[in-house]
Amino acid sequence: MDFLRPATWAEALAAKADRPEVVPIQGGTDMMVELNFDVRRPPGLLDLNRITELAGWSSEPDGRLRVGAGVSYARLIAELGDRLPGLAQASRTVGSPQIRNRGTVGGNLGAASPAGDSHPPLLATGAVVEVESAGRGVRMIPAADFYLGVKRSALEPDELIRAFWMSPASGPQYFSKVGTRNAMVIAVCSFAIALHPGERRVGTGIGSAAPTPRRAVAAEEFLAAELDWESRLDPEVLRRFGELASEAASPIDDVRGTAGYRRHAIAVMARRTLTWAWNEFRSGHFERRAG
Amino acid sequence: MRVTFTVNGRRETADDVWEGESLLYVLRERVGLPGSKNACEQGECGSCTVYLDGVTVCACLVAAGQAEGREIRTVEGLADGDRLDAVQEAFVECGAVQCGFCTPGLVVQAHDLIERIPRPSDAEIREALAGNLCRCTGYEKILDAVRLAAARKAGDR
């Protein structure tokens, strides 16, 4: 096995183009488990820790945030929690403090596990993944097009994940996750919601209840048509939203839970997160906080 | 491959390191620092918690090569000669140690908590230690020890 240690982003892209079979390693919280348990023996590891370009984030001219693939969950929570509240909530449920000190959204995207905690908020907020290769340059891939199958993504073998782009929240955002305890839990299933009051639209993301993370598109369209933004939340709208969210899932039975349980839980979490978000929106609390 | 890093203020070089090896293995088997414990090897138990450039991590999930040129501080590096750190002292006094296997990881993680938050609330202590498993104590005496250590470090007791 080789251990490649590029010092710059350009060197990393060159290395990946030259040796597409090497596996990138950032926080190591996924990859090292596979190595420790002899699940995987890649021909080489491509260590991205030294690449300073990946370790920062910036506010871009179009107002969006560009967050480097090497920014840890701990830093995301501390430095961007006010602007990316849904993703920060999801990040707080990742592993333990030690894991959040190392793990990254970039790594979550690279692994593309349907259970990854960052995926539902990335989908709900319409995040875009910036990937790059030495030969073909930058590609911007909407999160909704990024996940292709269980642990399969749109990333090509010669590409690396550079950053994700996300707009600062324009309305309340929430994340909910079912697990056996608060810490160190891989989601049985999860749900994220993002209110976009300016567009009279609600974004959603379902985790760990289908082969890939996915939006509940019919549920979003239903809310866009039926939600009265000047009023209290109609219980019938709430109920139907939960039902449509649940129907968007296609879960399986596995060691963490049954398909039936997941379907039920998605409906519950969809109703709860919408209620939380709606209450925050109606109270005016979000606008006051956002200033 | 060869890996060189600083551990507890000393420069160490390990040779013939396998590329897929963890920092934990290098510390225990190549550098002779068995304080950090090897249990789950998947970041679940926290027994291998060490500082990496001042931030606590599970050493089992850091590739050895990623430690190149960086600063590690292990449980062996907390005491000042024969004088135990306040966290270690409090663990002894409060009976927060039974079999002792989880203790090094808990001590490092609690040490970091008190450095960052000198007077942590119970909720903050629980959150900070959520990734460290103990199968003996039931955690109550560990919480007592962290409270005592924090109070002593803050000069309250």
Side-chain angles (χ1 to χ4, degrees), chain A residues 15-98:
Chain A
K16 192 70 169 119
D18 189 43
R19 302 272 311 272
E21 74 284 4
V22 301
V23 179
I25 180 168
Q26 181 65 256
T29 55
D30 241 14
M31 190 59 221
M32 286 305 292
V33 177
E34 301 199 324
L35 285 167
N36 289 343
F37 282 79
D38 213 354
V39 175
R40 203 164 162 198
R41 281 284 178 271
L45 294 174
L46 181 65
D47 175 29
L48 301 174
N49 272 198
R50 289 202 300 167
I51 298 169
T52 49
E53 291 103 314
L54 297 180
W57 57 266
S58 56
S59 278
E60 295 297 313
D62 69 358
R64 285 187 298 171
L65 292 159
R66 180 181 186 231
V67 184
V71 174
S72 68
Y73 291 110
R75 283 188 54 206
L76 196 144
I77 293 163
E79 298 168 28
L80 294 169
D82 54 342
R83 276 159 287 182
L84 306 177
L87 183 60
Q89 270 186 24
S91 301
R92 287 188 195 96
T93 77
V94 173
S96 63
Q98 293 95 317

Side-chain angles (χ1 to χ4, degrees), chain B:
Chain B
M1 64 179 172
R2 164 176 285 196
V3 181
T4 303
F5 53 87
T6 305
V7 56
N8 301 328
R10 256 184 59 178
R11 203 170 159 77
E12 296 280 357
T13 297
D15 280 314
D16 302 320
V17 175
W18 174 58
E19 287 72 15
E21 205 163 292
S22 70
L23 171 62
L24 178 62
Y25 189 90
V26 173
L27 289 172
R28 289 178 55 84
E29 310 297 338
R30 301 191 189 276
V31 181
L33 292 172
S36 314
K37 295 294 175 250
N38 181 13
C40 75
E41 295 193 301
Q42 51 183 314
E44 288 274 346
C45 75
S47 303
C48 65
T49 301
V50 300
Y51 283 105
L52 173 66
D53 285 348
V55 170
T56 58
V57 303
C58 293
C60 73
L61 298 184
V62 177
Q66 294 184 303
E68 174 70 34
R70 302 182 71 171
E71 285 207 24
I72 319 294
R73 192 178 182 195
T74 70
V75 70
E76 289 97 336
L78 296 187
D80 179 11
D82 286 341
R83 236 184 95 207
L84 293 180
D85 180 83
V87 175
Q88 294 170 309
E89 220 166 46
F91 265 65
V92 174
E93 283 179 34
C94 294
V97 180
Q98 284 190 32
C99 88
F101 198 88
C102 70
T103 311
L106 275 160
V107 165
V108 173
Q109 188 62 16
H111 183 272
D112 171 64
L113 167 68
I114 298 170
E115 292 287 308
R116 286 184 295 108
I117 307 173
R119 289 182 176 83
S121 66
D122 278 8
E124 285 167 330
I125 298 173
R126 284 172 184 273
E127 176 57 32
L129 303 185
N132 291 75
L133 297 181
C134 172
R135 301 293 80 175
C136 307
T137 63
Y139 298 103
E140 286 302 328
K141 289 174 190 297
I142 291 170
L143 295 178
D144 290 343
V146 179
R147 289 185 203 110
L148 176 63
R152 281 203 183 138
K153 282 199 178 182
D156 296 347
R157 272 197 251 179

Side-chain angles (χ1 to χ4, degrees), chain A residues 203-224:
Chain A
T204 61
I206 294 175
S208 208
T212 66
R214 60 165 69 155
R215 288 164 58 201
V217 175
E220 291 182 12
E221 287 169 353
F222 168 74
L223 285 187

Side-chain angles (χ1 to χ4, degrees), chain A residues 253-278:
Chain A
D253 293 334
D254 70 11
V255 288
R256 294 201 297 279
T258 63
Y261 176 77
R262 286 184 162 103
R263 251 187 221 102
H264 173 75
I266 292 290
V268 173
M269 288 190 292
R271 291 198 303 264
R272 273 187 198 161
T273 52
L274 178 58
T275 304
W276 295 333
W278 196 254

